[in-house]
Amino acid sequence: MAEAESIIGTPDIPEAEGHEGAEPERNEGAGSPDGRAVGPAAADGDGAAVVDRSAATRRRRIILLFCVAVLAYLLDLGSKMLVVAKLEHQEPVEIFGSWLRLDAIRNAGAAFGIGEAFTIIFTIIAATVIVVIARLARKLYSLPWAIALGLLLGGALGNLTDRIFRAPGTFQGAVVDFIAPAHFAVFNLADSAIVCGGILIVILSFKGLDPDGTVHKD
């Protein structure tokens, strides 16, 4: 019997990896040279999210930043034009009784009427903020940061437009404010965008999220 088995032989059974006829084992980490999966939802060996730093992602974030900025700027500009045309030199319009009114005023200071004696300084600060945001956009990969910077940019541009083009003169113009809550300073939509963007940036900073999408823990 042993001689018969040696003559007939037994069929080859692919038991080891790489044996002819065996199904090759899949490499779950394929997709990048270092074995990491690629894409926005990828994770490294420690379970931390891997930031998608592709040029396409940065381009989308920059587009979002400028879309938010343009929307905030146009809303602010349009509201100011309407207020100047319809409400300036008129009696305040009550929205919620005495709790919220529309009252057109000219503000030579910063947001919420602060520092009226330093108009030119606030103009320079607004221009500096715009330059800083433009520089940050070059390494922007975070979606929340794109929204926050867009709000800041739109608000700064809105008030800077007033500084440049409104009376009493170039870079000394008074900003148009018209939202007047009870027991609070009068402000405009640009001020609101700046404050909302600033609050969002503070929250992101506390969470340890940087503009480039990385997360750090102190």
Side-chain angles (χ1 to χ4, degrees):
M1 179 67 70
E3 293 178 356
E5 288 182 355
S6 63
I7 296 174
I8 298 175
T10 57
D12 293 334
I13 300 176
E15 296 178 351
E17 181 183 355
H19 192 284
E20 183 180 355
E23 182 180 355
E25 186 177 298
R26 292 184 180 180
N27 184 3
E28 299 294 341
S32 63
D34 58 357
R36 292 182 178 180
V38 295
D44 59 15
D46 299 328
V50 177
V51 180
D52 182 1
R53 300 186 186 278
S54 65
T57 297
R58 185 179 65 176
R59 183 164 55 250
R60 288 194 297 269
R61 299 297 182 259
I62 293 175
I63 291 174
L64 175 62
L65 186 158
F66 283 107
C67 285
V68 172
V70 169
L71 178 61
Y73 176 76
L74 292 179
L75 288 175
D76 177 68
L77 181 63
S79 63
K80 289 174 178 175
M81 293 175 64
L82 184 61
V83 165
V84 170
K86 301 295 183 180
L87 293 180
E88 201 165 36
H89 309 303
Q90 304 293 328
E91 291 295 322
V93 176
E94 293 185 349
I95 303 300
F96 295 108
S98 61
W99 291 100
L100 179 62
R101 302 184 303 171
L102 298 180
D103 186 10
I105 66 170
R106 298 294 182 108
N107 173 23
F112 310 112
I114 301 172
E116 294 187 4
F118 303 98
T119 305
I120 187 65
I121 295 178
F122 293 126
T123 303
I124 295 173
I125 292 174
T128 302
V129 168
I130 294 171
V131 173
V132 171
I133 292 174
R135 291 178 62 88
L136 282 175
R138 297 184 300 176
K139 57 177 183 178
L140 182 63
Y141 294 94
S142 168
L143 179 64
W145 270 95
I147 296 173
L149 293 178
L151 290 171
L152 282 180
L153 180 59
L157 285 173
N159 284 339
L160 184 61
T161 300
D162 284 359
R163 305 287 188 197
I164 296 175
F165 296 106
R166 296 194 187 277
T170 304
F171 298 112
Q172 296 180 340
V175 174
V176 176
D177 289 335
F178 58 92
I179 304 174
H183 313 297
F184 196 73
V186 184
F187 59 97
N188 56 42
L189 294 184
D191 297 334
S192 301
I194 291 172
V195 170
C196 291
I199 292 174
L200 182 54
I201 287 176
V202 171
I203 294 173
L204 295 175
S205 299
F206 272 115
K207 288 181 173 292
L209 178 62
D210 294 332
D212 63 359
T214 58
V215 179
H216 63 272
K217 295 182 179 180
D218 297 330

